[in-house]
Amino acid sequence: MASALCNKMSLRAPVRVAASRPARTTRVVTRAGLEPYLQVCSGTAIMLALGRFAFMPLHRRDLRNSAAAAGPKTTGDTYFDSLQQEASFITSTNDPAGFTLIDTMAWGALGHALGFAFLAATSSGVIPGVAGP
């Protein structure tokens, strides 16, 4: 009985759906003002150059001035005194100004941050006249 009620034909008139035009679609293309790799590479190059040529002499001068008052002095008599030595591969360099591996990674990271900030600013339109159409 229940199955007979479910299969019963409807008494309503069939509804005709008018054929509608498909909605107009617009294609939105997001473009950066400049190529992203150029922005990130130029930001990294700028920060590496600033670190090497502008801030490195200041940093080395501060290190020389503070080296006399830095930390406790060891005599080298105990086993633990030999463990307190700095790793030589980190501080050794062939650069005339003394730009080390740590300096390169730190200034490169700052350069990447600068490049991505500039990329975000140009892509979002914060910097007028630079973003694409």
Side-chain angles (χ1 to χ4, degrees), residues 8-68:
K8 190 176 179 183
M9 298 278 296
S10 174
L11 299 176
R12 294 184 190 170
V15 177
R16 295 188 64 129
V17 177
S20 62
R21 285 187 291 169
R24 290 186 184 192
T25 58
T26 58
R27 186 171 170 208
V28 177
V29 177
T30 304
R31 294 185 348 183
L34 300 171
E35 292 294 326
Y37 70 90
L38 287 176
Q39 291 181 357
V40 174
C41 288
S42 62
T44 304
I46 288 169
M47 290 304 287
L48 284 172
L50 279 175
R52 167 66 171 80
F53 298 111
F55 292 111
M56 188 54 58
L58 297 173
H59 178 65
R60 294 296 176 221
R61 186 182 64 207
D62 289 343
L63 283 180
R64 269 187 259 115
N65 292 342
S66 66

Side-chain angles (χ1 to χ4, degrees), residues 1-131:
M1 176 98 169
S3 65
L5 290 176
C6 290
N7 291 334
K8 190 176 179 183
M9 298 278 296
S10 174
L11 299 176
R12 294 184 190 170
V15 177
R16 295 188 64 129
V17 177
S20 62
R21 285 187 291 169
R24 290 186 184 192
T25 58
T26 58
R27 186 171 170 208
V28 177
V29 177
T30 304
R31 294 185 348 183
L34 300 171
E35 292 294 326
Y37 70 90
L38 287 176
Q39 291 181 357
V40 174
C41 288
S42 62
T44 304
I46 288 169
M47 290 304 287
L48 284 172
L50 279 175
R52 167 66 171 80
F53 298 111
F55 292 111
M56 188 54 58
L58 297 173
H59 178 65
R60 294 296 176 221
R61 186 182 64 207
D62 289 343
L63 283 180
R64 269 187 259 115
N65 292 342
S66 66
K73 304 294 183 219
T74 60
T75 59
D77 294 338
T78 66
Y79 171 74
F80 295 108
D81 289 340
S82 64
L83 293 178
Q84 293 178 0
Q85 303 300 320
E86 289 185 0
S88 63
F89 68 91
I90 292 177
T91 57
S92 64
T93 180
N94 290 333
D95 186 41
F99 207 65
T100 63
L101 176 68
I102 300 300
D103 296 325
T104 305
M105 289 192 300
W107 286 102
L110 288 174
H112 270 72
L114 176 73
F116 281 113
F118 189 69
L119 177 66
T122 57
S123 296
S124 66
V126 172
I127 301 175
V130 178

